[in-house]
Amino acid sequence: MKFCPNCAAPLVKRVPPGDSVPRDVCDACGSVHYQNPKLVVGAVPEWEQRILLCRRAIEPRYGYWTLPAGFLENGETPAQGAARETLEEAGARIEITAAFSMIAVPYVNQVHLFYRARLLDLDFRPGEESLEVALFEESRIPWKDIAFRTVGLTLTRWFADRTQGSFGFHAEDIK
Amino acid sequence: MKFCPNCAAPLVKRVPPGDSVPRDVCDACGSVHYQNPKLVVGAVPEWEQRILLCRRAIEPRYGYWTLPAGFLENGETPAQGAARETLEEAGARIEITAAFSMIAVPYVNQVHLFYRARLLDLDFRPGEESLEVALFEESRIPWKDIAFRTVGLTLTRWFADRTQGSFGFHAEDIK
């Protein structure tokens, strides 16, 4: 059972008037509690043809490598969120260049958004959520130990675009 | 005061361990309740150089014109959400062409995402949330009566790209 955050009465699942989807409805105070997908924002930080990756110190995917990324917070823009996550997880300062990939993951109610970025200096170190942080050239990327499919896909698109000589924007879905 | 959706105990605002932002924390059951920005998804439906707009039958911005758009639902991709909203608000079937604009509106905790789309036929009609639905050529767009800044910005970028002869992807912020 779930309870109303506004008045603590029990919630019921019901399609509200004018809606087409069952929601958490409170019959006591009349409020409707919507649940919507979350935006995960991250960066592809580059330094002289190498990409910054973090090895995760937390679940899920403890010990696997990822691009710095996390949930967008209220009050910030996606680019600000990507820069904040890069600072938190890798202790690294970046300059965002452009939006690069947007990958929907509807089965976990998430949309992942990655930005191209330039690493501003080599003064990085693992944050609390990372075991280690390192720069990888393309041939050294630990493809079998990448934490998430959206990260692997983003890295694949990034190196393909670089080889081709121009970077695009990639919108895709993982189903 | 807010209450825990899991156990109905009062929530307190506090920075959880390992976090840096105050959250709604439940001391009774230990749960943390995050609040994150929502994704609004919409379409720019085109038919022979004209764009489909809806005049809003609901607040906010009752009576103003908008592109079909609404909150992304759990379980759907952004493109699916944009097509669903176009069907709900305009009774119109579209084929999504490409992601076109992504506009952050951090002061209302939203990110608006619009897709280029092709209207499949002229069999459209206002849904419950629209007073009327109509096709507009560029010179007839009701610029002074557009409901939202993200819609006006998306239309401006769309016509500029068309004039220039190639459509890009536009990521911007409204602050």
Side-chain angles (χ1 to χ4, degrees), chain B residues 9-41:
Chain B
L11 293 172
V12 295
K13 262 296 190 231
R14 199 174 59 226
V15 179
D19 203 337
S20 57
V21 179
R23 313 283 183 185
D24 290 326
V25 175
C26 178
D27 285 327
C29 74
S31 58
V32 181
H33 303 276
Y34 298 91
Q35 295 190 335
N36 300 90
K38 288 182 195 276
L39 206 45
V40 170
V41 292

PDB file of all heavy atoms in Angstrom, chain B residues 9-41:
ATOM      1  N   ALA B   9       4.603   8.031   7.701  1.00  0.00           N
ATOM      2  CA  ALA B   9       5.235   8.839   8.758  1.00  0.00           C
ATOM      3  C   ALA B   9       5.601  10.226   8.185  1.00  0.00           C
ATOM      4  O   ALA B   9       5.761  10.373   6.975  1.00  0.00           O
ATOM      5  CB  ALA B   9       6.478   8.129   9.274  1.00  0.00           C
ATOM      6  N   PRO B  10       5.754  11.238   9.054  1.00  0.00           N
ATOM      7  CA  PRO B  10       6.151  12.563   8.540  1.00  0.00           C
ATOM      8  C   PRO B  10       7.554  12.525   7.929  1.00  0.00           C
ATOM      9  O   PRO B  10       8.443  11.835   8.447  1.00  0.00           O
ATOM     10  CB  PRO B  10       6.137  13.446   9.798  1.00  0.00           C
ATOM     11  CG  PRO B  10       5.314  12.705  10.788  1.00  0.00           C
ATOM     12  CD  PRO B  10       5.490  11.244  10.491  1.00  0.00           C
ATOM     13  N   LEU B  11       7.730  13.265   6.845  1.00  0.00           N
ATOM     14  CA  LEU B  11       9.048  13.369   6.207  1.00  0.00           C
ATOM     15  C   LEU B  11       9.796  14.566   6.757  1.00  0.00           C
ATOM     16  O   LEU B  11       9.183  15.552   7.170  1.00  0.00           O
ATOM     17  CB  LEU B  11       8.892  13.535   4.692  1.00  0.00           C
ATOM     18  CG  LEU B  11       8.314  12.348   3.917  1.00  0.00           C
ATOM     19  CD1 LEU B  11       8.030  12.740   2.466  1.00  0.00           C
ATOM     20  CD2 LEU B  11       9.257  11.144   3.970  1.00  0.00           C
ATOM     21  N   VAL B  12      11.132  14.470   6.795  1.00  0.00           N
ATOM     22  CA  VAL B  12      11.957  15.621   7.164  1.00  0.00           C
ATOM     23  C   VAL B  12      12.893  15.956   5.994  1.00  0.00           C
ATOM     24  O   VAL B  12      13.274  15.075   5.227  1.00  0.00           O
ATOM     25  CB  VAL B  12      12.785  15.349   8.442  1.00  0.00           C
ATOM     26  CG1 VAL B  12      11.863  15.170   9.637  1.00  0.00           C
ATOM     27  CG2 VAL B  12      13.675  14.125   8.282  1.00  0.00           C
ATOM     28  N   LYS B  13      13.227  17.262   5.849  1.00  0.00           N
ATOM     29  CA  LYS B  13      14.175  17.698   4.819  1.00  0.00           C
ATOM     30  C   LYS B  13      15.585  17.595   5.391  1.00  0.00           C
ATOM     31  O   LYS B  13      15.911  18.257   6.371  1.00  0.00           O
ATOM     32  CB  LYS B  13      13.920  19.168   4.478  1.00  0.00           C
ATOM     33  CG  LYS B  13      13.092  19.500   3.256  1.00  0.00           C
ATOM     34  CD  LYS B  13      13.633  19.096   1.929  1.00  0.00           C
ATOM     35  CE  LYS B  13      12.787  19.747   0.831  1.00  0.00           C
ATOM     36  NZ  LYS B  13      12.315  18.849  -0.187  1.00  0.00           N
ATOM     37  N   ARG B  14      16.417  16.751   4.801  1.00  0.00           N
ATOM     38  CA  ARG B  14      17.772  16.576   5.327  1.00  0.00           C
ATOM     39  C   ARG B  14      18.675  16.049   4.228  1.00  0.00           C
ATOM     40  O   ARG B  14      18.221  15.365   3.313  1.00  0.00           O
ATOM     41  CB  ARG B  14      17.737  15.578   6.488  1.00  0.00           C
ATOM     42  CG  ARG B  14      18.947  15.637   7.390  1.00  0.00           C
ATOM     43  CD  ARG B  14      18.813  14.733   8.606  1.00  0.00           C
ATOM     44  NE  ARG B  14      18.618  13.362   8.223  1.00  0.00           N
ATOM     45  CZ  ARG B  14      17.707  12.548   8.749  1.00  0.00           C
ATOM     46  NH1 ARG B  14      16.905  12.988   9.690  1.00  0.00           N
ATOM     47  NH2 ARG B  14      17.600  11.309   8.346  1.00  0.00           N
ATOM     48  N   VAL B  15      19.972  16.348   4.326  1.00  0.00           N
ATOM     49  CA  VAL B  15      20.935  15.809   3.377  1.00  0.00           C
ATOM     50  C   VAL B  15      21.263  14.375   3.796  1.00  0.00           C
ATOM     51  O   VAL B  15      21.811  14.162   4.871  1.00  0.00           O
ATOM     52  CB  VAL B  15      22.223  16.665   3.342  1.00  0.00           C
ATOM     53  CG1 VAL B  15      23.232  16.077   2.353  1.00  0.00           C
ATOM     54  CG2 VAL B  15      21.905  18.116   2.982  1.00  0.00           C
ATOM     55  N   PRO B  16      20.908  13.381   2.953  1.00  0.00           N
ATOM     56  CA  PRO B  16      21.226  11.988   3.323  1.00  0.00           C
ATOM     57  C   PRO B  16      22.740  11.752   3.285  1.00  0.00           C
ATOM     58  O   PRO B  16      23.470  12.494   2.614  1.00  0.00           O
ATOM     59  CB  PRO B  16      20.522  11.159   2.245  1.00  0.00           C
ATOM     60  CG  PRO B  16      19.586  12.093   1.551  1.00  0.00           C
ATOM     61  CD  PRO B  16      20.198  13.461   1.681  1.00  0.00           C
ATOM     62  N   PRO B  17      23.231  10.705   3.987  1.00  0.00           N
ATOM     63  CA  PRO B  17      24.664  10.371   3.956  1.00  0.00           C
ATOM     64  C   PRO B  17      25.148  10.157   2.519  1.00  0.00           C
ATOM     65  O   PRO B  17      24.475   9.501   1.730  1.00  0.00           O
ATOM     66  CB  PRO B  17      24.738   9.049   4.743  1.00  0.00           C
ATOM     67  CG  PRO B  17      23.480   8.990   5.554  1.00  0.00           C
ATOM     68  CD  PRO B  17      22.447   9.758   4.810  1.00  0.00           C
ATOM     69  N   GLY B  18      26.293  10.737   2.190  1.00  0.00           N
ATOM     70  CA  GLY B  18      26.847  10.574   0.849  1.00  0.00           C
ATOM     71  C   GLY B  18      26.204  11.453  -0.204  1.00  0.00           C
ATOM     72  O   GLY B  18      26.554  11.393  -1.376  1.00  0.00           O
ATOM     73  N   ASP B  19      25.238  12.268   0.199  1.00  0.00           N
ATOM     74  CA  ASP B  19      24.547  13.160  -0.737  1.00  0.00           C
ATOM     75  C   ASP B  19      24.984  14.594  -0.446  1.00  0.00           C
ATOM     76  O   ASP B  19      25.703  14.859   0.526  1.00  0.00           O
ATOM     77  CB  ASP B  19      23.030  13.006  -0.549  1.00  0.00           C
ATOM     78  CG  ASP B  19      22.249  13.429  -1.786  1.00  0.00           C
ATOM     79  OD1 ASP B  19      22.765  14.206  -2.599  1.00  0.00           O
ATOM     80  OD2 ASP B  19      21.100  12.970  -1.916  1.00  0.00           O
ATOM     81  N   SER B  20      24.585  15.541  -1.287  1.00  0.00           N
ATOM     82  CA  SER B  20      24.963  16.930  -1.055  1.00  0.00           C
ATOM     83  C   SER B  20      23.762  17.864  -1.095  1.00  0.00           C
ATOM     84  O   SER B  20      23.889  19.068  -0.927  1.00  0.00           O
ATOM     85  CB  SER B  20      25.993  17.370  -2.100  1.00  0.00           C
ATOM     86  OG  SER B  20      25.461  17.187  -3.391  1.00  0.00           O
ATOM     87  N   VAL B  21      22.572  17.294  -1.325  1.00  0.00           N
ATOM     88  CA  VAL B  21      21.358  18.090  -1.501  1.00  0.00           C
ATOM     89  C   VAL B  21      20.320  17.636  -0.472  1.00  0.00           C
ATOM     90  O   VAL B  21      20.198  16.433  -0.218  1.00  0.00           O
ATOM     91  CB  VAL B  21      20.800  17.876  -2.935  1.00  0.00           C
ATOM     92  CG1 VAL B  21      19.522  18.671  -3.149  1.00  0.00           C
ATOM     93  CG2 VAL B  21      21.850  18.249  -3.978  1.00  0.00           C
ATOM     94  N   PRO B  22      19.580  18.581   0.149  1.00  0.00           N
ATOM     95  CA  PRO B  22      18.509  18.169   1.071  1.00  0.00           C
ATOM     96  C   PRO B  22      17.410  17.398   0.336  1.00  0.00           C
ATOM     97  O   PRO B  22      17.003  17.799  -0.749  1.00  0.00           O
ATOM     98  CB  PRO B  22      17.960  19.500   1.613  1.00  0.00           C
ATOM     99  CG  PRO B  22      18.989  20.532   1.278  1.00  0.00           C
ATOM    100  CD  PRO B  22      19.677  20.049   0.036  1.00  0.00           C
ATOM    101  N   ARG B  23      16.973  16.289   0.921  1.00  0.00           N
ATOM    102  CA  ARG B  23      15.920  15.457   0.332  1.00  0.00           C
ATOM    103  C   ARG B  23      14.809  15.260   1.350  1.00  0.00           C
ATOM    104  O   ARG B  23      14.994  15.502   2.542  1.00  0.00           O
ATOM    105  CB  ARG B  23      16.469  14.069  -0.030  1.00  0.00           C
ATOM    106  CG  ARG B  23      17.766  14.046  -0.769  1.00  0.00           C
ATOM    107  CD  ARG B  23      17.590  14.395  -2.217  1.00  0.00           C
ATOM    108  NE  ARG B  23      18.859  14.300  -2.942  1.00  0.00           N
ATOM    109  CZ  ARG B  23      19.009  14.650  -4.209  1.00  0.00           C
ATOM    110  NH1 ARG B  23      17.989  15.133  -4.903  1.00  0.00           N
ATOM    111  NH2 ARG B  23      20.180  14.554  -4.802  1.00  0.00           N
ATOM    112  N   ASP B  24      13.668  14.737   0.898  1.00  0.00           N
ATOM    113  CA  ASP B  24      12.613  14.290   1.802  1.00  0.00           C
ATOM    114  C   ASP B  24      12.999  12.919   2.337  1.00  0.00           C
ATOM    115  O   ASP B  24      12.988  11.939   1.605  1.00  0.00           O
ATOM    116  CB  ASP B  24      11.273  14.220   1.049  1.00  0.00           C
ATOM    117  CG  ASP B  24      10.727  15.590   0.696  1.00  0.00           C
ATOM    118  OD1 ASP B  24      10.932  16.540   1.490  1.00  0.00           O
ATOM    119  OD2 ASP B  24      10.104  15.725  -0.365  1.00  0.00           O
ATOM    120  N   VAL B  25      13.340  12.865   3.624  1.00  0.00           N
ATOM    121  CA  VAL B  25      13.830  11.638   4.245  1.00  0.00           C
ATOM    122  C   VAL B  25      12.796  11.153   5.261  1.00  0.00           C
ATOM    123  O   VAL B  25      12.197  11.952   5.982  1.00  0.00           O
ATOM    124  CB  VAL B  25      15.190  11.897   4.958  1.00  0.00           C
ATOM    125  CG1 VAL B  25      15.654  10.658   5.715  1.00  0.00           C
ATOM    126  CG2 VAL B  25      16.239  12.349   3.951  1.00  0.00           C
ATOM    127  N   CYS B  26      12.587   9.839   5.313  1.00  0.00           N
ATOM    128  CA  CYS B  26      11.683   9.238   6.302  1.00  0.00           C
ATOM    129  C   CYS B  26      12.510   8.560   7.390  1.00  0.00           C
ATOM    130  O   CYS B  26      13.214   7.586   7.123  1.00  0.00           O
ATOM    131  CB  CYS B  26      10.752   8.221   5.650  1.00  0.00           C
ATOM    132  SG  CYS B  26       9.662   7.433   6.850  1.00  0.00           S
ATOM    133  N   ASP B  27      12.423   9.087   8.614  1.00  0.00           N
ATOM    134  CA  ASP B  27      13.180   8.488   9.711  1.00  0.00           C
ATOM    135  C   ASP B  27      12.541   7.198  10.207  1.00  0.00           C
ATOM    136  O   ASP B  27      13.204   6.384  10.850  1.00  0.00           O
ATOM    137  CB  ASP B  27      13.293   9.485  10.877  1.00  0.00           C
ATOM    138  CG  ASP B  27      14.310  10.582  10.562  1.00  0.00           C
ATOM    139  OD1 ASP B  27      15.291  10.277   9.863  1.00  0.00           O
ATOM    140  OD2 ASP B  27      14.110  11.727  10.998  1.00  0.00           O
ATOM    141  N   ALA B  28      11.256   7.001   9.893  1.00  0.00           N
ATOM    142  CA  ALA B  28      10.573   5.781  10.344  1.00  0.00           C
ATOM    143  C   ALA B  28      11.011   4.566   9.531  1.00  0.00           C
ATOM    144  O   ALA B  28      11.374   3.532  10.092  1.00  0.00           O
ATOM    145  CB  ALA B  28       9.055   5.968  10.259  1.00  0.00           C
ATOM    146  N   CYS B  29      11.011   4.698   8.191  1.00  0.00           N
ATOM    147  CA  CYS B  29      11.344   3.510   7.376  1.00  0.00           C
ATOM    148  C   CYS B  29      12.672   3.666   6.638  1.00  0.00           C
ATOM    149  O   CYS B  29      13.117   2.741   5.955  1.00  0.00           O
ATOM    150  CB  CYS B  29      10.221   3.192   6.389  1.00  0.00           C
ATOM    151  SG  CYS B  29      10.090   4.319   4.979  1.00  0.00           S
ATOM    152  N   GLY B  30      13.315   4.824   6.776  1.00  0.00           N
ATOM    153  CA  GLY B  30      14.643   5.001   6.187  1.00  0.00           C
ATOM    154  C   GLY B  30      14.651   5.335   4.706  1.00  0.00           C
ATOM    155  O   GLY B  30      15.718   5.426   4.094  1.00  0.00           O
ATOM    156  N   SER B  31      13.480   5.542   4.101  1.00  0.00           N
ATOM    157  CA  SER B  31      13.446   5.806   2.661  1.00  0.00           C
ATOM    158  C   SER B  31      13.761   7.278   2.365  1.00  0.00           C
ATOM    159  O   SER B  31      13.557   8.159   3.198  1.00  0.00           O
ATOM    160  CB  SER B  31      12.081   5.427   2.079  1.00  0.00           C
ATOM    161  OG  SER B  31      11.048   6.142   2.735  1.00  0.00           O
ATOM    162  N   VAL B  32      14.308   7.521   1.161  1.00  0.00           N
ATOM    163  CA  VAL B  32      14.602   8.872   0.686  1.00  0.00           C
ATOM    164  C   VAL B  32      13.761   9.100  -0.565  1.00  0.00           C
ATOM    165  O   VAL B  32      13.687   8.234  -1.440  1.00  0.00           O
ATOM    166  CB  VAL B  32      16.104   9.008   0.341  1.00  0.00           C
ATOM    167  CG1 VAL B  32      16.411  10.434  -0.124  1.00  0.00           C
ATOM    168  CG2 VAL B  32      16.963   8.646   1.549  1.00  0.00           C
ATOM    169  N   HIS B  33      13.114  10.263  -0.646  1.00  0.00           N
ATOM    170  CA  HIS B  33      12.193  10.535  -1.754  1.00  0.00           C
ATOM    171  C   HIS B  33      12.730  11.670  -2.618  1.00  0.00           C
ATOM    172  O   HIS B  33      12.684  12.829  -2.229  1.00  0.00           O
ATOM    173  CB  HIS B  33      10.794  10.809  -1.200  1.00  0.00           C
ATOM    174  CG  HIS B  33      10.308   9.660  -0.369  1.00  0.00           C
ATOM    175  ND1 HIS B  33       9.710   8.552  -0.918  1.00  0.00           N
ATOM    176  CD2 HIS B  33      10.435   9.396   0.957  1.00  0.00           C
ATOM    177  CE1 HIS B  33       9.457   7.671   0.035  1.00  0.00           C
ATOM    178  NE2 HIS B  33       9.887   8.165   1.191  1.00  0.00           N
ATOM    179  N   TYR B  34      13.257  11.292  -3.773  1.00  0.00           N
ATOM    180  CA  TYR B  34      13.902  12.238  -4.669  1.00  0.00           C
ATOM    181  C   TYR B  34      12.866  12.928  -5.548  1.00  0.00           C
ATOM    182  O   TYR B  34      11.849  12.345  -5.897  1.00  0.00           O
ATOM    183  CB  TYR B  34      14.906  11.501  -5.565  1.00  0.00           C
ATOM    184  CG  TYR B  34      16.011  10.847  -4.783  1.00  0.00           C
ATOM    185  CD1 TYR B  34      15.895   9.542  -4.335  1.00  0.00           C
ATOM    186  CD2 TYR B  34      17.166  11.542  -4.466  1.00  0.00           C
ATOM    187  CE1 TYR B  34      16.898   8.927  -3.610  1.00  0.00           C
ATOM    188  CE2 TYR B  34      18.189  10.944  -3.736  1.00  0.00           C
ATOM    189  CZ  TYR B  34      18.043   9.635  -3.314  1.00  0.00           C
ATOM    190  OH  TYR B  34      19.040   9.048  -2.591  1.00  0.00           O
ATOM    191  N   GLN B  35      13.167  14.174  -5.921  1.00  0.00           N
ATOM    192  CA  GLN B  35      12.337  14.873  -6.895  1.00  0.00           C
ATOM    193  C   GLN B  35      13.237  15.340  -8.023  1.00  0.00           C
ATOM    194  O   GLN B  35      14.265  15.969  -7.781  1.00  0.00           O
ATOM    195  CB  GLN B  35      11.618  16.046  -6.239  1.00  0.00           C
ATOM    196  CG  GLN B  35      10.640  15.537  -5.181  1.00  0.00           C
ATOM    197  CD  GLN B  35       9.722  16.607  -4.652  1.00  0.00           C
ATOM    198  OE1 GLN B  35      10.062  17.786  -4.695  1.00  0.00           O
ATOM    199  NE2 GLN B  35       8.569  16.213  -4.160  1.00  0.00           N
ATOM    200  N   ASN B  36      12.858  15.004  -9.241  1.00  0.00           N
ATOM    201  CA  ASN B  36      13.702  15.288 -10.394  1.00  0.00           C
ATOM    202  C   ASN B  36      12.891  15.960 -11.490  1.00  0.00           C
ATOM    203  O   ASN B  36      11.666  15.859 -11.512  1.00  0.00           O
ATOM    204  CB  ASN B  36      14.309  13.979 -10.916  1.00  0.00           C
ATOM    205  CG  ASN B  36      15.153  13.271  -9.875  1.00  0.00           C
ATOM    206  OD1 ASN B  36      14.654  12.454  -9.112  1.00  0.00           O
ATOM    207  ND2 ASN B  36      16.422  13.604  -9.819  1.00  0.00           N
ATOM    208  N   PRO B  37      13.606  16.631 -12.404  1.00  0.00           N
ATOM    209  CA  PRO B  37      12.908  17.314 -13.498  1.00  0.00           C
ATOM    210  C   PRO B  37      12.108  16.343 -14.360  1.00  0.00           C
ATOM    211  O   PRO B  37      12.431  15.155 -14.449  1.00  0.00           O
ATOM    212  CB  PRO B  37      14.054  17.929 -14.303  1.00  0.00           C
ATOM    213  CG  PRO B  37      15.174  18.077 -13.333  1.00  0.00           C
ATOM    214  CD  PRO B  37      15.050  16.885 -12.430  1.00  0.00           C
ATOM    215  N   LYS B  38      11.090  16.871 -15.003  1.00  0.00           N
ATOM    216  CA  LYS B  38      10.258  16.064 -15.903  1.00  0.00           C
ATOM    217  C   LYS B  38      10.543  16.432 -17.354  1.00  0.00           C
ATOM    218  O   LYS B  38      10.902  17.573 -17.670  1.00  0.00           O
ATOM    219  CB  LYS B  38       8.775  16.283 -15.586  1.00  0.00           C
ATOM    220  CG  LYS B  38       8.353  15.639 -14.265  1.00  0.00           C
ATOM    221  CD  LYS B  38       6.862  15.844 -14.009  1.00  0.00           C
ATOM    222  CE  LYS B  38       6.490  15.545 -12.583  1.00  0.00           C
ATOM    223  NZ  LYS B  38       6.245  14.140 -12.301  1.00  0.00           N
ATOM    224  N   LEU B  39      10.356  15.443 -18.207  1.00  0.00           N
ATOM    225  CA  LEU B  39      10.570  15.609 -19.627  1.00  0.00           C
ATOM    226  C   LEU B  39       9.211  15.851 -20.298  1.00  0.00           C
ATOM    227  O   LEU B  39       8.291  15.048 -20.143  1.00  0.00           O
ATOM    228  CB  LEU B  39      11.220  14.335 -20.161  1.00  0.00           C
ATOM    229  CG  LEU B  39      12.094  14.327 -21.395  1.00  0.00           C
ATOM    230  CD1 LEU B  39      13.092  15.473 -21.420  1.00  0.00           C
ATOM    231  CD2 LEU B  39      12.840  12.993 -21.450  1.00  0.00           C
ATOM    232  N   VAL B  40       9.102  16.974 -21.017  1.00  0.00           N
ATOM    233  CA  VAL B  40       7.922  17.274 -21.834  1.00  0.00           C
ATOM    234  C   VAL B  40       8.293  16.969 -23.279  1.00  0.00           C
ATOM    235  O   VAL B  40       9.319  17.451 -23.766  1.00  0.00           O
ATOM    236  CB  VAL B  40       7.501  18.749 -21.669  1.00  0.00           C
ATOM    237  CG1 VAL B  40       6.429  19.135 -22.687  1.00  0.00           C
ATOM    238  CG2 VAL B  40       7.002  18.999 -20.252  1.00  0.00           C
ATOM    239  N   VAL B  41       7.496  16.141 -23.947  1.00  0.00           N
ATOM    240  CA  VAL B  41       7.818  15.729 -25.318  1.00  0.00           C
ATOM    241  C   VAL B  41       6.721  16.194 -26.272  1.00  0.00           C
ATOM    242  O   VAL B  41       5.537  16.144 -25.952  1.00  0.00           O
ATOM    243  CB  VAL B  41       8.001  14.198 -25.418  1.00  0.00           C
ATOM    244  CG1 VAL B  41       9.255  13.776 -24.663  1.00  0.00           C
ATOM    245  CG2 VAL B  41       6.782  13.446 -24.883  1.00  0.00           C
TER     246      VAL B  41
END
